[in-house]
Amino acid sequence: MSVEFGGAPFAAPARLLIDGAAEGPLLFSDTALSFWGGVDPETGLVIDQAHPLHGRCLAGAILAIPGGRGSCTGSAVLMQLILNGKAPAGMVFSQAEEILTLGVMVAEEMYGRSLPIAVVAPETFARMEGLDRIRIEAGLVSEPGGKHSLADMAPTAALPSLVLSDNDRHLLSDAVPQATRTAMRIVVRMAELLGAKSLIDVAQVHVDGCIYTGPASLDFAQKLADWGGRVVVPTSLNAISADQARWREQGTDPVLSMAASALADAYVRMGARPTFTCAPYQLDGAPAEGENIAWAESNAVVYANSVLGARTMKYPDFLDICIALTGRAPEAGCHLDENRKARLVVEVEAMDGRDDSFWPLFGYRVGMLAPNAIPAVTGLERAHPTADDLKAFGAAFATTSAAPMFHIVGVTPEVPTLSAATGGRALPTVKVSRSDVAGDWLHFNPTTGETIDLVALGNPHFSFDECDALAKLCAGRTKHADLALTVTLSRATHARIVEAGIATTLEAFGATLVRDACWCTVMQPIVPPGARTILTNSGKYAHYGPGLSGKQVRFAGLAACVEAAVTGSAQAGPPAWLVG
């Protein structure tokens, strides 16, 4: 509840996720923001070209957004911003937020640097739009200059107390290595922020923090390794920022490539497996339905919860390795049955003849309709999507939504019926038409038929089946001489397609295969410096690519991407299924 003092400046009570005081000019948006792919950690500029704050600088401002969204690496970007002196002075959210908040926690724990983060009620947050300056202090968010008192305002609700086991307290003691103590402090702080009543064991961890976002990410990992950090549960590693074995022959920046490789080595030194993939669900040992795990990487989290039926929160970078070093995670979020129910129903109209481009486009649309809520999708009961279709849907969904999972009724494992998805409750319902999806295609393709310089495939990493499908489309054809076609994939998938002879077909066509890195992390010249326009079949990269690469990025289905690779030009208009 906010209080007006006879027309006096705005004031409202706030829950402080991170304590402190700050004042600055207000940067307000009612659109959530992914710091990874959305904010340059060196300058503080918003680089997400689709965001209302594009081009604005966060440094020294009070940033008011509903919360984070998209990539779990936002925590690493914010920590780098803090250490570079380019971070906001403070942040105000309209909901509890873990990814960005964790970045500040780690900056406090490791470097003694911080900024306050406040949460206000959604209706109060909306009233901030148009204000010039904001101050965060002592449980209040207010305009400077007024006399405000918390005594006149409703208190914020108290959170449950976290109960630690004897083993949890042992992990906080001097009897364990410094890395374990530090990791456990961070786990406990996040659990308290989430209102968890206890911690739970996890069966495995997927670490996204191995992506190089700047010197801070490397320093953090090396400190933990030097302090005796060793993972205590099976731990896989996300895609890194360079092909560790072949970056020299690829000609990528040696300074950045060596830093990225050193970061990967630090995590391997702590006992993590050098899997280097953003699609850990393609690896042997994928989690089972109902299994508690701790995965980071936004698309992987969404896939694990939604398609595999495993249980994980959308863990921020840095918290992932802290859980791996302790084996303990907050009993909160999607680990709990009640937090896995849908909050919104999305009805999709039948779209006969659709091709693979439907799934990323539709996922992107559903994410925008459900920016914070788990959706239940109806109308696809007879669609029979493949694992790769669901991967493409989930990656695009996770780009525009902060929700950790989705349900597709009759398709994903927990929802044979709509009632199972909703818990029998009546929920708000929205509809998605062919024209809605066509609008998203046009958003990614404001112009058509132009020259393409690079076809970028594998965000998330291409699977064996996707490589096989690509090889069949390329077989017997000749790639345009002025265009590059590059596929990113895991080491495990690369080994399989080499053995199956698929790699030979792709390389004969002229495709370049890049392991370890993916399109959110690759460097020049994998993205040719002279390229102007990139074509991708990934809804995720179509969104992040312009900000990350500085290039125009267009979107198409896989067959249309191959056609462009042969002709050198994008298709002249939307696919037939979308206009028909």
Side-chain angles (χ1 to χ4, degrees):
M1 181 181 75
S2 63
V3 176
E4 299 291 345
F5 296 85
F10 165 91
R15 177 191 172 200
L16 290 189
L17 304 183
I18 302 290
D19 287 333
E23 181 180 322
L26 178 65
L27 271 182
F28 177 94
S29 175
D30 60 5
T31 302
L33 176 64
S34 172
F35 271 47
W36 173 254
V39 181
D40 186 332
E42 299 302 317
T43 64
L45 291 173
V46 177
I47 57 174
D48 181 345
Q49 295 185 11
H51 198 274
L53 295 179
H54 176 245
R56 303 292 296 275
C57 184
L58 305 185
I62 301 296
L63 176 65
I65 53 175
R69 68 177 183 186
S71 177
C72 299
T73 308
S75 51
V77 173
L78 181 52
M79 187 175 79
Q80 188 66 57
L81 285 164
I82 292 171
L83 298 186
N84 287 344
K86 299 296 183 181
M91 294 191 289
V92 181
F93 302 138
S94 63
Q95 62 198 31
E97 197 281 346
E98 297 90 45
I99 293 175
L100 299 175
T101 304
L102 192 280
V104 182
M105 280 187 191
V106 175
E108 281 188 337
E109 291 286 344
M110 304 291 284
Y111 305 104
R113 304 277 295 276
S114 187
L115 59 88
I117 297 180
V119 178
V120 298
E123 60 273 16
T124 301
F125 178 85
R127 293 176 49 239
M128 294 174 62
E129 185 171 9
L131 301 180
D132 291 327
R133 292 184 68 81
I134 283 292
R135 181 165 182 80
I136 304 170
E137 185 178 25
L140 278 173
V141 171
S142 62
E143 285 185 281
K147 295 182 178 180
H148 316 299
S149 172
L150 277 175
D152 299 316
M153 303 183 185
T156 55
L159 295 173
S161 297
L162 176 68
V163 177
L164 298 179
S165 68
D166 289 342
N167 182 59
D168 294 334
R169 287 188 287 272
H170 172 72
L171 294 174
L172 290 166
S173 73
D174 290 341
V176 299
Q178 183 178 357
T180 307
R181 292 197 305 275
T182 302
M184 192 62 178
R185 283 201 308 270
I186 293 170
V187 170
V188 168
R189 285 188 66 180
M190 180 55 69
E192 290 172 337
L193 182 149
L194 293 166
K197 296 178 182 179
S198 62
L199 303 179
I200 56 173
D201 291 331
V202 295
Q204 61 173 267
V205 174
H206 181 68
V207 170
D208 187 48
C210 53
I211 293 175
Y212 183 76
T213 55
S217 59
L218 175 58
D219 183 69
F220 169 80
Q222 289 181 328
K223 273 187 167 69
L224 289 181
D226 291 343
W227 291 347
R230 292 288 298 177
V231 303
V232 296
V233 293
T235 301
S236 55
L237 291 176
N238 201 56
I240 57 176
S241 303
D243 185 329
Q244 195 177 40
R246 299 190 294 179
W247 64 262
R248 290 176 179 83
E249 66 184 79
Q250 291 166 355
T252 55
D253 184 305
V255 174
L256 291 178
S257 297
M258 285 190 286
S261 185
L263 177 61
D265 289 341
Y267 282 101
V268 172
R269 196 153 46 108
M270 287 188 273
R273 292 186 297 147
T275 49
F276 303 141
T277 180
C278 52
Y281 38 83
Q282 297 173 356
L283 299 171
D284 292 338
E289 184 173 351
E291 193 169 29
N292 282 310
I293 62 174
W295 277 15
E297 212 299 327
S298 59
N299 100 86
V301 168
V302 165
Y303 194 97
N305 278 323
S306 310
V307 182
L308 301 181
R311 298 186 168 218
T312 179
M313 288 180 55
K314 193 173 182 180
Y315 283 108
D317 286 17
F318 304 144
L319 186 59
D320 46 18
I321 187 60
C322 292
I323 294 173
L325 295 177
T326 62
R328 302 289 277 166
E331 189 176 28
C334 281
H335 292 292
L336 301 172
D337 288 343
E338 61 266 28
N339 294 331
R340 298 176 70 85
K341 298 300 183 185
R343 298 291 184 268
L344 176 74
V345 176
V346 179
E347 295 179 357
V348 58
E349 91 173 34
M351 300 182 201
D352 295 337
R354 60 178 174 254
D355 63 17
D356 58 290
S357 65
F358 166 79
W359 296 100
L361 288 172
F362 184 51
Y364 194 83
R365 166 61 50 176
V366 174
M368 289 190 290
L369 294 171
N372 306 301
I374 296 172
V377 177
T378 64
L380 296 174
E381 288 82 355
R382 296 180 178 83
H384 305 295
T386 66
D388 291 318
D389 292 333
L390 293 172
K391 177 188 78 165
F393 175 94
F397 169 80
T399 299
T400 49
S401 177
M405 67 182 298
F406 60 84
H407 298 296
I408 300 179
V409 176
V411 174
T412 52
E414 297 179 30
V415 291
T417 64
L418 180 59
S419 179
T422 64
R425 296 170 302 169
L427 295 179
T429 300
V430 295
K431 299 188 177 186
V432 175
S433 68
R434 191 189 306 267
S435 63
D436 294 326
V437 180
D440 295 323
W441 192 93
L442 291 170
H443 164 71
F444 290 135
N445 298 281
T447 58
T448 60
E450 65 228 277
T451 298
I452 299 298
D453 303 296
L454 168 67
V455 174
L457 304 174
N459 190 347
H461 274 167
F462 251 30
S463 68
F464 178 90
D465 288 344
E466 286 176 303
C467 291
D468 186 42
L470 176 63
K472 289 173 180 173
L473 289 168
C474 294
R477 308 183 76 184
T478 302
K479 182 182 70 66
H480 195 282
D482 297 330
L483 174 147
L485 185 151
T486 301
V487 183
T488 62
L489 70 173
S490 70
R491 294 180 176 188
T493 298
H494 183 264
R496 289 185 64 198
I497 67 169
V498 168
E499 183 179 3
I502 294 170
T504 300
T505 301
L506 293 175
E507 289 167 345
F509 178 74
T512 299
L513 305 176
V514 173
R515 303 176 305 175
D516 300 350
C518 80
W519 286 104
C520 287
T521 64
V522 295
M523 312 176 198
Q524 295 182 2
I526 294 171
V527 177
R532 292 178 298 175
T533 305
I534 301 171
L535 182 64
T536 184
N537 73 333
S538 164
K540 179 177 181 176
Y541 191 60
H543 178 88
Y544 287 132
L548 290 169
S549 69
K551 315 292 185 183
Q552 298 181 86
V553 181
R554 302 289 182 255
F555 171 83
L558 184 61
C561 284
V562 173
E563 191 65 27
V566 172
T567 65
S569 299
Q571 61 194 51
W577 70 267
L578 199 49
V579 296

